[in-house]
Structure formats: C-alpha cells, structure tokens
Amino acid sequence: MKIPLSAADITEKEISAVVNVLNGERLSMGNAIVKFEKIFTKYTKRKYAVAVNSGTSALHLIVRALGLQKGDEVITTPFSFIASSNCLLFEDVTPVFVDIERETYNIDVSKIEEKITQKTKAILAVDVFGVPALWDKLIKIAKKHKLKLIQDSCEALGAEFKGRKIGSFGDAATFAFYPNKQITTAEGGMVLTDNKNIADLCKSMRNQGRDNMQTWFGHVRLGYNYRLSEMQAALGIVQMTRIKEILKKREIVAKYYEENLKDIPGIKIPENISYGKRSWFVYVIELGNKFNRKDRDKIMKLLRGQGVSCSNYFSPIHLQPFYRKLFNFKRGYFPVTDYVSDRTIALPFFNKLTEKKVIYITQKLKKIILSL
Ligand SMILES: *Cc1c(COP(=O)(O)O)cnc(C)c1O
C-alpha cells in the first residue's frame, strides 16, 4: 500500500471544462479568468479579485502594489510556507518575525507591538493550516500604528473568522490553487481586495505592466507574466462550483482521523477553534513533549516504510539555510515555532481518503509510537 500525502479531486466536469477551452479560440485572457474572478468576489464579498499563476505571484503583486520597498520592515510569522516571506525578499523588504501561539500555530498578536519600529510598514499574517488568525486584533494593531495589513489565506479557502469569510480581511488577501490546496487550478493564485488602486496595479503588473486600456504595447510600469491560463481558470470555476462538497469531504476525513487518533497516548490532534471556522488544509498532529525532533523524524521514516506518506509541516522559515545566512537566525530565536516544528507531522489528507485507509494509517502510527 502507498498512500500519498495529498491528491486533487478532479471529476469529469473539470475535465470537460478544460477540454472545452482547448476546443475554443482563447487559451489565455478570455472569459474564463473573468468568470473565475467574479466567483471569488462573490464568495469572499470583496470588491475586486485578480487571478494569477500562483499564490506566490499573488503575494508578490500585493507587496508591490502596496509600495513596500527596500529598507521597509514587515511583521510576519516564521511558521509558514516559505513564499509568505520570500514575497518580501523579492523587493528587498525585511521580514521581521514574531513567534507563534502554542494552540493555533498562528502569529502571536500579543508579541507584535514590541517588534514595531519606524521602519515597519505592514503586517503579513497567515491563516496557517486553514485556521484563521485573530483578524480583529490584527486590524486593531494595524490601524493604531498605521500599518498595511496583508492576509495570506493560501491555506484557508472556506475558513471563517467570526462569521466572516477568510480572504476578506486586510488591505489585500491571497488564495493559492496548487494541487494540495482546497481547490486547484494545477497552479494558480488570487488577489482579493476592496481597493481599486491595488486591484488595478495587480491587474497591470500580472500582464507585463500594461495599462488597463489593454493597448498591447502600452507598458506603463514594470510588470511580469503572472497570467492564469483559460484552461486553469476553467478548471478553477468547476472546482468552485463544488466548493461546499469539497469542504464537507475534507471535514469528514478529518473526523475519521479524530476518531481513530484520540486513544493514541502522547499526541495532540487539531482542536476546534472557538472564534471561527477552520478550513481543513492538511491534517497535522503534534507529538507530546517527551518526544524530540529525532523521534519525530524516526516516526516519519517508519511511517513511510509502511507506505504512509508524511511530512514535517513546517520546517520553519527562519531556519532555512539561506535565511540563516541572510539574517543570522538561530534556533531559540522563536522558541514556540522551534518547539512546534520539531514535533509536527502532516499525515495523508485529501478528499478521497477512505476511512479504511485512515484506520490503516492510524494503526501503523500507534504501533510506531508505542514502540518508541
Ligand atoms: C501554498 C502557499 C502559498 C503559495 O503557494 P504557490 O505554490 O505559489 O501557489 C503561499 N503561502 C502559503 C502559506 C501557502 O501555503
């Protein structure tokens, strides 16, 4: 048996939508991308959506659209996928890390203000593993210190904070559509904002800096090719028509895990959150404090030996080799992040994961943990 870490949920509907595009006239910059964007403005109740070719591109465009530049500091989390910090480095902006909360793994809002300096221009918070960050507090801090607020919701499509959809907070927000995310376009991302200027700038910059009059050789600013193809947009449209079903399926798989993991001693499973709704992105367990990083790595190796894919979500950003080199980061600088990232394991998680397979995975895990 070989169980992958993730797998996209593609039906005949997605396949025929993509084939229809291929049989049509426009493979890029047609109606599908416009429709895909409209679905997102409706879903998040945002005014503007700009579809791009990855979540990383979406973050990069927001950083540029907000005018962040060399010398500026942006407060963010070290416990995330590396793109949420790299988007700052692209523009020589300095990421200033704030440690995370023990329970939610999200940025610890109580530690943000002590890191604000004259150079601080924005906060970039991440809804890690689909768990909403504390957006009311983040908005308050941003307002008080006149900072921009960026919401990286690349892992959190469908989540809610106090009844309001994730992706609707901050000056701008992002989603991503890599195959392991809640919905996929194979590769893709989205910028959401209520600010017309930000939306116009992002639209222009995704398309080689063209002005929005679409004069093909009127380049008014530095831009990129961050366009999403019509095939990808068509795929995304169908996925979004299935979003309720997809989120429900993920909840059911999480339930299977919960039921089968609760009697394994010495591990912590994801808990319900009181202030909103999580959108299941990955299923991450945390080993108890009698285990260390070596134990964790051994458990992962033994699991893989049984055909169970797993991963150390996340290996923290500040300890990545090139971040260490650039900023001289060391273990101990962000102790909660270090502690958590030494003990977390992401188990296989995708819509089509059956109860039978979850039972297989959890039994193997139990056996391994009890043998240590
Ligand atoms: C997936 C992800 C992104 C963007 O990823 P792409 O692969 O570029 O689409 C950004 N931030 C976080 C937290 C992510 O998980």
Side-chain angles (χ1 to χ4, degrees):
M1 177 131 48
K2 177 95 180 74
I3 306 174
L5 195 58
S6 72
D9 180 355
I10 304 292
T11 68
E12 287 301 321
K13 278 191 202 154
E14 279 87 341
I15 293 167
S16 62
V18 173
V19 171
N20 279 346
V21 172
L22 288 168
N23 284 324
E25 280 174 9
R26 292 199 76 108
L27 300 185
S28 185
M29 305 291 281
N31 295 328
I33 191 167
V34 176
K35 191 170 167 194
F36 189 42
E37 290 170 342
K38 221 171 238 160
I39 290 171
F40 269 84
T41 53
K42 231 175 138 187
Y43 190 73
T44 59
K45 298 201 172 72
R46 280 283 207 187
K47 283 205 183 108
Y48 308 99
V50 182
V52 290
N53 61 357
S54 77
T56 307
S57 308
L59 286 165
H60 184 205
L61 291 187
I62 291 170
V63 168
R64 284 201 59 102
L66 291 176
L68 300 171
Q69 54 190 319
K70 192 178 168 89
D72 292 344
E73 294 177 357
V74 173
I75 287 176
T76 190
T77 170
F79 191 73
S80 174
F81 181 60
I82 194 150
S84 66
S85 273
N86 279 356
C87 66
L88 304 170
L89 298 192
F90 295 161
E91 297 300 324
D92 278 321
V93 174
T94 307
V96 174
F97 292 127
V98 168
D99 209 353
I100 57 168
E101 286 179 346
R102 190 66 190 76
E103 290 307 313
T104 62
Y105 304 156
N106 279 324
I107 191 164
D108 187 339
V109 291
S110 73
K111 292 180 185 156
I112 288 178
E113 287 190 285
E114 64 199 56
K115 295 280 185 95
I116 295 175
T117 71
Q118 291 294 322
K119 293 180 180 169
T120 309
K121 293 286 154 55
I123 301 171
L124 190 164
V126 182
D127 300 298
V128 172
F129 300 156
V131 175
L134 297 177
W135 289 102
D136 51 355
K137 296 201 171 122
L138 288 162
I139 288 168
K140 225 173 172 177
I141 297 169
K143 261 201 186 131
K144 183 174 159 196
H145 298 273
K146 296 195 169 59
L147 305 175
K148 301 289 184 197
L149 185 58
I150 304 169
Q151 177 174 39
D152 179 345
S153 305
C154 288
E155 304 185 351
L157 178 63
E160 289 173 15
F161 178 80
K162 296 191 172 167
R164 194 170 134 190
K165 279 268 185 320
I166 284 306
S168 67
F169 294 88
D171 294 277
T174 59
F175 289 117
F177 312 124
Y178 187 73
N180 71 338
K181 313 276 181 182
Q182 284 88 344
I183 73 146
T184 190
T185 59
E187 297 283 357
M190 188 77 74
V191 174
L192 278 309
T193 182
D194 295 319
N195 181 315
K196 185 171 189 302
N197 188 42
I198 293 175
D200 286 345
L201 284 172
C202 288
K203 274 191 181 160
S204 168
M205 286 188 289
R206 85 170 161 194
N207 191 19
Q208 307 284 12
R210 290 183 169 96
D211 59 32
N212 289 324
M213 314 314 288
Q214 305 291 346
T215 47
W216 200 247
F217 290 112
H219 304 275
V220 291
R221 62 179 59 80
L222 178 64
Y224 309 87
N225 178 357
Y226 284 171
R227 296 183 300 256
L228 189 75
S229 75
E230 288 290 288
M231 284 96 80
Q232 291 169 303
L235 173 52
I237 290 166
V238 179
Q239 290 261 290
M240 278 307 279
T241 64
R242 298 178 52 224
I243 183 73
K244 269 200 179 140
E245 168 208 336
I246 286 171
L247 296 177
K248 185 84 209 149
K249 281 182 175 171
R250 297 174 88 81
E251 273 176 32
I252 291 169
V253 176
K255 261 275 178 297
Y256 294 154
Y257 268 118
E258 197 181 311
E259 282 159 14
N260 289 286
L261 285 171
K262 61 183 177 213
D263 64 332
I264 303 184
I267 66 163
K268 185 169 162 298
I269 62 174
E271 278 165 31
N272 284 333
I273 44 167
S274 58
Y275 54 84
K277 200 172 131 225
R278 163 211 302 269
S279 169
W280 289 94
F281 167 55
V282 281
Y283 198 89
V284 175
I285 59 161
E286 184 188 311
L287 302 173
N289 55 13
K290 69 168 181 157
F291 297 104
N292 57 29
R293 182 157 45 123
K294 275 205 180 117
D295 299 322
R296 191 273 309 273
D297 293 345
K298 189 172 168 197
I299 291 169
M300 289 207 303
K301 198 173 157 217
L302 291 170
L303 268 176
R304 288 180 186 134
Q306 301 287 337
V308 178
S309 302
C310 51
S311 185
N312 57 328
Y313 275 39
F314 286 113
S315 177
I317 297 173
H318 68 285
L319 296 180
Q320 298 301 327
F322 83 103
Y323 273 80
R324 283 188 195 239
K325 222 185 248 170
L326 266 175
F327 299 102
N328 214 9
F329 288 130
K330 291 191 173 58
R331 274 188 166 269
Y333 282 21
F334 308 101
V336 183
T337 300
D338 290 352
Y339 178 91
V340 168
S341 58
D342 280 349
R343 287 169 183 79
T344 39
I345 303 176
L347 298 172
F349 189 77
F350 47 94
N351 299 5
K352 290 176 184 163
L353 191 58
T354 60
E355 186 168 22
K356 220 172 127 195
K357 284 201 171 131
V358 170
I359 290 171
Y360 175 87
I361 294 162
T362 52
Q363 280 177 349
K364 296 293 175 203
L365 179 69
K366 188 174 180 177
K367 232 182 188 168
I368 291 165
I369 285 182
L370 292 177
S371 74
L372 286 186

